[in-house]
Amino acid sequence: MKDLLRSYALVFYRTISLVLRFLQRLVSPSLSCHLQNFFLILHGAKLRYSFDAEKGLYIAKEGHFYRYFGDMDRGFDCYARSLMKRGKILSESYCLQNISFNDDDIIIDCGANYGDLYISLRDRIKESNYFAIEPGPVEYRCLKSSLPDAQVLNLGLSNIDGELDFYLCSKSGDSSLLEPKNYTEIIKVQVKTMDSIMRDLNLSKCKLFKLEAEGWEPEILDGAHEFIKICDYIAVDGGRERGVAAEATLHTATNYLIKRGFKMIEIYGPSYRALYQKVE
């Protein structure tokens, strides 16, 4: 009987959630936030949403901590009832619990999106030591608003310095330099190699390089021969996101890094994500 009641409650909850999201897409951004907040109040969550009309961006706030985001559906789904939980889940998916961070450590986040990787790192490294690399124009504005002291670079990474087509799919966070199955627009973006960026920024060390490029990971590593020599750890999302064929890139990244003195120390199978450490 209890299992049956739980099943009915789950169906009811999902139905209410679908109806709420349908209504939110019909009303103004501000009203959609009010509706979401009412839902959160009922669940006793501390998270609250608002809309910054001047910037044209949504805000998720939990206590004194906040994140700007551009797409309503993606933000409401990613942050759900807690920013902190989002940060914890993302950190664990990249196996970052294996790393001891210090205040002065430098983190380079490729494919930073809204900068959620920093949520779990905010009390461990300086914001000024967080380098967020993001070619998406809306995501870049969100990063600048959420992390004013971070080093935010509005460009893509590749194995060349120049300009390439960028396929936008901001709703799902799947924008890529490779043509994916679904996208809304093609724009031109500046691209650079990590070796060039290392020289431009005069970087001599990097505690963690997080690499998520929706299938473009092999090209980025191909442009990072010198850069990876100063990295202690590299976290890679090598999921099935490469092009229309949706191929995985984890095996390619693993072979590349092992040949260059890294070892895989943990893998998060559900997301094809792995953490590599430089072998001393």
Side-chain angles (χ1 to χ4, degrees):
M1 186 64 178
K2 289 183 179 179
D3 290 340
L4 183 61
L5 289 174
R6 288 195 190 97
S7 297
Y8 281 138
L10 184 60
V11 171
F12 177 75
Y13 172 80
R14 288 177 175 172
T15 301
I16 292 298
S17 298
L18 289 171
V19 171
L20 176 64
R21 187 58 55 85
F22 175 76
L23 291 174
Q24 288 170 324
R25 291 170 181 157
L26 296 177
V27 300
S28 69
S30 293
L31 184 53
S32 70
C33 291
H34 289 314
L35 290 171
Q36 191 72 9
N37 290 339
F38 178 72
F39 182 77
L40 292 171
I41 290 169
L42 292 178
H43 285 85
K46 296 179 180 179
L47 183 67
R48 295 292 182 269
Y49 292 99
S50 60
F51 184 73
D52 186 329
E54 184 177 344
K55 293 185 177 182
L57 299 173
Y58 295 86
I59 309 170
K61 187 173 183 181
E62 188 171 357
H64 296 293
F65 195 69
Y66 60 92
R67 270 292 172 277
Y68 280 81
F69 60 97
D71 184 81
M72 183 195 76
D73 287 320
R74 178 165 171 73
F76 286 175
D77 290 340
C78 280
Y79 304 128
R81 303 179 199 174
S82 173
L83 278 172
M84 305 311 161
K85 185 176 180 181
R86 163 67 174 167
K88 184 175 185 293
I89 291 172
L90 193 62
S91 176
E92 290 177 351
S93 76
Y94 281 105
C95 312
L96 301 191
Q97 65 273 13
N98 293 285
I99 306 176
S100 296
F101 291 97
N102 296 313
D103 192 48
D104 291 323
D105 286 337
I106 290 176
I107 309 297
I108 297 181
D109 186 355
C110 167
N113 201 259
Y114 296 143
D116 293 345
L117 190 73
Y118 187 71
I119 294 175
S120 65
L121 300 172
R122 69 194 186 283
D123 294 326
R124 292 189 276 177
I125 69 164
K126 296 175 184 176
E127 187 176 311
S128 57
N129 284 349
Y130 174 66
F131 290 73
I133 301 175
E134 175 55 55
V138 174
E139 290 80 2
Y140 171 74
R141 291 197 296 115
C142 291
L143 282 164
K144 293 292 287 183
S145 297
S146 297
L147 298 162
D149 294 327
Q151 311 295 319
V152 184
L153 307 179
N154 189 203
L155 50 80
L157 295 180
S158 188
N159 53 359
I160 62 167
D161 291 347
E163 191 177 71
L164 291 174
D165 287 336
F166 188 59
Y167 299 84
L168 285 176
C169 188
S170 296
K171 182 169 286 292
S172 59
D174 294 328
S175 301
S176 177
L177 287 165
L178 280 167
E179 182 177 352
K181 290 181 179 179
N182 302 300
Y183 60 92
T184 58
E185 184 183 356
I186 305 175
I187 63 173
K188 291 287 186 182
V189 297
Q190 180 189 7
V191 296
K192 300 194 77 170
T193 67
M194 268 311 306
D195 286 345
S196 292
I197 291 174
M198 178 183 71
R199 290 190 292 269
D200 292 345
L201 300 177
N202 196 29
L203 294 174
S204 60
K205 60 180 180 178
C206 174
K207 185 62 172 280
L208 170 68
F209 177 45
K210 171 242 162 181
L211 176 55
E212 180 179 2
E214 307 302 325
W216 196 249
E217 293 82 17
E219 285 76 10
I220 293 173
L221 289 172
D222 189 43
H225 295 302
E226 295 302 316
F227 167 70
I228 65 169
K229 294 177 183 179
I230 68 168
C231 295
D232 294 331
Y233 295 89
I234 297 178
V236 177
D237 182 336
R240 295 185 173 279
E241 299 168 323
R242 185 171 175 83
V244 176
E247 298 172 327
T249 60
L250 187 62
H251 61 292
T252 304
T254 299
N255 290 336
Y256 177 95
L257 292 171
I258 287 175
K259 289 178 181 177
R260 286 160 179 82
F262 284 81
K263 64 178 180 179
M264 183 190 291
I265 59 174
E266 189 170 346
I267 185 169
Y268 185 78
S271 298
Y272 288 81
R273 290 173 176 172
L275 179 66
Y276 308 82
Q277 183 179 17
K278 183 190 294 181
V279 179
E280 298 296 337

